[in-house]
Amino acid sequence: MAGGKVYLVGAGPGDPGLITIKGIECLQQADLILYDGLVNPLLLQHVSSAVERTCRVEVGSKNRRMLQQDEINQRLIAAAREGKIVVRLKGGDPFIFGRGSEEAVALRNAGIDFEVVPGITAATAAAGYAGISVTHRAHASAVALITGHEDPDKTDSSLDFEVLAKFPGTLVFYMGLHKIDHIVNSLIQAGKSKDTLAAVISRGTTPFQKTVQTNLSELPESVRQAGLVAPSLIVIGECVSLRDQIAWFEQKPLFGLRIGITRSWEQSATEIKFALKSGAQPVLLPTIEIGPPRDWKPVDDAISHLDKYQWLVFTSANGVQYFLNRLWEIGFDARRLAHLKIATIGPSTAEALNAYHLRTDLIPSHYRAEDLAEALKPLVGQQKILWAGANRGREVLQRELAEVSATVDKVVVYENHDVKAWDSESINLLESGEVDWIGLSSPSIARNLSRLLSDKAREQIGKTIKLASISPVTTQAAREVGLQIAVEAEEYHWEGIFAAILKQQSST
């Protein structure tokens, strides 16, 4: 074996939470990711920023083409010979209609070390999300996985519909939507009852999953009327009847909505998970980027002189992470903070502190700077406070605490930088009005959103796109730049934004 190594990893279908733990570990250590068009791009959260991201679908200025399998094989081989750890990320399972075995043979013939990391295949995942158990003691003791899209170079089909029509269990056809008439007619002609229960699941395990359920003979027309699209799965058998009782995924409270997440990519993991848990599709619309300060010296000086402070204040999880990581990097640990009281602006900031085995001494009843200052006033008279924050932000703490003769020294432990533009896919969704909600979690984010919106996208605000604000301060900032707010969170955090959206959706 020579060079690096290739991992053939199954990503599962649609829902990014369905990838295996081992699959995530491979992504985290990879130097190159080569991923299929069916792979959810949210999985790239697990990828290092230094990783080269290459999609199987190449989009040019005028055309769109699929990389040929030989090109993919050679790309894998060449990268591995350069000593790289390569992940070939494939929708579903690499060895179930995924051509992973062809790639494995090419790697073995080239002398490249590789491993296969299985994934959850669509037959079990999409059917399960649609409330269809493909096996059941009372309905089916066997299941057949069948391709609806055979090798186009084959002269004869390998499918024996006489055998499939008599199969004593559930039939599951992958990639068969464009041949659904042929599949259904062939089964009925071979003796399958036209009254057999059947279903087609489109875009399974995603917030846009749609399922049509009927009998076999009516399936093609029902699919056309419903406008189902690929990727899809055809399920035929009595197990389809279970859907009436156990369908669950499509009942989620925000199912099918697209919700814009305006936090930075690095900050948005929790919001993405909450959207997915609620059945919504997160659309990443970062308005700022987060990074370390250009100069660590002021931070290092503050850490070296912590003995002159009585309080340490954090107004964001980022402040916690950057400050405490720097504390460790320059040779100190939590003992350096033993004499300090710690205040946090809200519970999410306190949770970030808990990750370092530290507890906050103070959280205000409402999670904004004004309330934090009011909570601190009775406690900090004539004391010195170190505020670990961003390069931007209002001077509320300094102004308000000066009233009780407290001194607030702010040290910049991370920087916010404006995003210059979004990717073309996000822009298209906004301009076509296909985003349902956008969450705004700070005044600066509201102003940056206004700056980034094209004229065409701005026209959709208040019509098809609604804005949800985290607080009155953010609402005011949005109005000042001409943005109409539909709902405002009662609790000033992202969970409060989602709660406000859910309350509004429930009332309409």
Side-chain angles (χ1 to χ4, degrees):
M1 298 297 178
K5 185 168 185 173
V6 176
Y7 291 90
L8 304 175
V9 178
D15 185 340
L18 295 180
I19 192 172
T20 64
I21 292 174
K22 186 170 183 179
I24 291 174
E25 290 173 349
C26 291
L27 289 176
Q28 290 171 337
Q29 64 176 310
D31 301 306
L32 170 67
I33 309 291
L34 186 66
Y35 66 98
D36 270 345
L38 293 179
V39 169
N40 193 322
L42 290 174
L43 286 172
L44 296 179
Q45 291 179 91
H46 305 292
V47 177
S48 165
S49 59
V51 170
E52 176 187 346
R53 297 166 184 166
T54 307
C55 184
R56 185 168 181 255
V57 179
E58 289 190 343
V59 182
S61 58
K62 294 184 179 179
N63 53 37
R64 181 175 184 264
R65 76 180 184 93
M66 302 295 287
L67 292 179
Q68 297 300 310
Q69 189 63 54
D70 286 344
E71 294 179 84
I72 296 171
N73 295 348
Q74 291 308 310
R75 185 77 177 94
L76 295 172
I77 292 167
R81 283 178 174 164
E82 292 172 3
K84 293 180 178 179
I85 301 298
V86 185
V87 168
R88 173 71 168 113
L89 192 60
K90 304 174 73 67
D93 181 279
F95 279 11
I96 299 182
F97 307 124
R99 304 190 73 175
S101 56
E102 297 173 46
E103 294 167 1
V105 169
L107 293 168
R108 176 55 51 83
N109 290 340
I112 302 298
D113 190 17
F114 70 90
E115 287 187 26
V116 178
V117 181
I120 300 176
T121 189
T124 52
Y129 272 49
I132 300 171
S133 173
V134 292
T135 65
H136 189 281
R137 289 198 303 173
H139 300 291
S141 298
V143 58
L145 308 184
I146 311 148
T147 180
H149 182 75
E150 294 186 87
D151 187 340
D153 294 331
K154 291 168 60 175
T155 56
D156 297 312
S157 172
S158 300
L159 299 182
D160 188 331
F161 283 96
E162 297 284 343
V163 172
L164 292 176
K166 296 178 177 63
F167 182 76
T170 307
L171 302 177
V172 181
F173 287 85
Y174 287 64
M175 304 170 290
L177 192 64
H178 66 299
K179 289 189 175 181
I180 190 167
D181 289 284
H182 170 71
I183 291 169
V184 168
N185 291 334
S186 297
L187 286 171
I188 293 174
Q189 290 172 10
K192 193 77 172 175
S193 171
K194 65 180 182 179
D195 295 322
T196 304
L197 289 178
V200 171
I201 307 161
S202 172
R203 304 173 78 178
T205 78
T206 77
F208 309 108
Q209 175 177 298
K210 193 171 183 180
T211 306
V212 164
Q213 175 185 344
T214 184
N215 61 51
L216 185 60
S217 64
E218 296 177 358
L219 190 62
E221 183 58 30
S222 296
V223 165
R224 281 189 284 271
Q225 290 182 4
L228 299 194
V229 297
S232 65
L233 201 71
I234 303 171
V235 185
I236 301 169
E238 295 306 313
C239 281
V240 172
S241 64
L242 297 171
R243 173 173 161 77
D244 296 333
Q245 297 172 276
I246 61 176
W248 60 275
F249 181 58
E250 294 158 30
Q251 312 305 316
K252 284 180 173 285
L254 298 179
F255 180 79
L257 296 181
R258 284 192 175 97
I259 298 179
I261 309 296
T262 49
R263 302 191 79 187
S264 69
W265 174 272
E266 296 85 358
Q267 288 181 302
S268 59
T270 300
E271 289 70 38
I272 289 170
K273 289 178 182 177
F274 199 91
L276 293 171
K277 183 179 179 180
S278 303
Q281 173 67 31
V283 178
L284 301 187
L285 300 171
T287 64
I288 58 173
E289 296 173 339
I290 303 297
R294 298 174 189 176
D295 183 6
W296 280 109
K297 188 177 184 304
V299 182
D300 297 345
D301 289 344
I303 291 172
S304 298
H305 297 91
L306 282 175
D307 55 325
K308 72 178 185 180
Y309 296 101
Q310 289 77 49
W311 282 84
L312 177 60
V313 173
F314 296 107
T315 50
S316 71
N318 284 319
V320 171
Q321 293 159 6
Y322 276 91
F323 180 81
L324 293 177
N325 287 345
R326 186 62 180 178
L327 182 78
W328 178 266
E329 288 168 2
I330 63 175
F332 297 106
D333 57 31
R335 288 173 294 181
R336 188 73 177 166
L337 312 178
H339 68 288
L340 291 167
K341 295 286 188 180
I342 302 177
T344 55
I345 198 168
S348 60
T349 307
E351 287 175 13
L353 197 65
N354 294 344
Y356 293 86
H357 299 286
L358 293 168
R359 291 188 174 92
T360 186
D361 296 290
L362 175 69
I363 304 177
S365 56
H366 292 89
Y367 315 134
R368 59 178 185 167
E370 288 82 357
D371 294 283
L372 178 58
E374 286 301 314
L376 282 167
K377 280 181 179 179
L379 307 173
V380 299
Q382 296 184 335
Q383 294 185 359
K384 296 203 70 173
I385 301 165
L386 180 65
W387 173 19
N391 60 321
R392 300 174 182 172
R394 299 181 298 140
E395 304 300 316
V396 173
L397 291 181
Q398 292 95 322
R399 184 180 66 250
E400 293 292 323
L401 294 179
E403 296 179 2
V404 294
S405 300
T407 301
V408 179
D409 292 339
K410 181 179 179 181
V411 62
V412 174
V413 296
Y414 70 98
E415 294 186 0
N416 292 326
H417 301 287
D418 294 339
V419 168
K420 291 182 172 59
W422 291 313
D423 61 80
S424 59
E425 182 178 353
S426 297
I427 293 171
N428 290 338
L429 288 173
L430 289 169
E431 292 185 344
S432 61
E434 294 180 70
V435 175
D436 299 283
W437 287 89
I438 299 175
L440 304 177
S441 55
S442 74
S444 62
I445 283 178
R447 289 188 286 269
N448 276 341
L449 177 73
S450 177
R451 173 180 56 83
L452 288 165
L453 287 172
S454 67
D455 291 341
K456 191 172 181 181
R458 184 179 288 273
E459 291 174 1
Q460 301 291 344
I461 303 296
K463 296 179 181 178
T464 59
I465 301 174
K466 296 178 283 294
L467 301 183
S469 166
I470 199 170
S471 68
V473 175
T474 301
T475 298
Q476 180 60 32
R479 288 172 177 162
E480 288 172 358
V481 292
L483 297 179
Q484 176 184 344
I485 298 296
V487 296
E488 186 177 277
E490 296 179 7
E491 297 289 339
Y492 304 154
H493 44 57
W494 263 95
E495 190 171 342
I497 290 177
F498 280 105
I501 292 172
L502 177 57
K503 184 177 180 180
Q504 178 69 14
Q505 288 293 134
S506 301
S507 67
T508 57

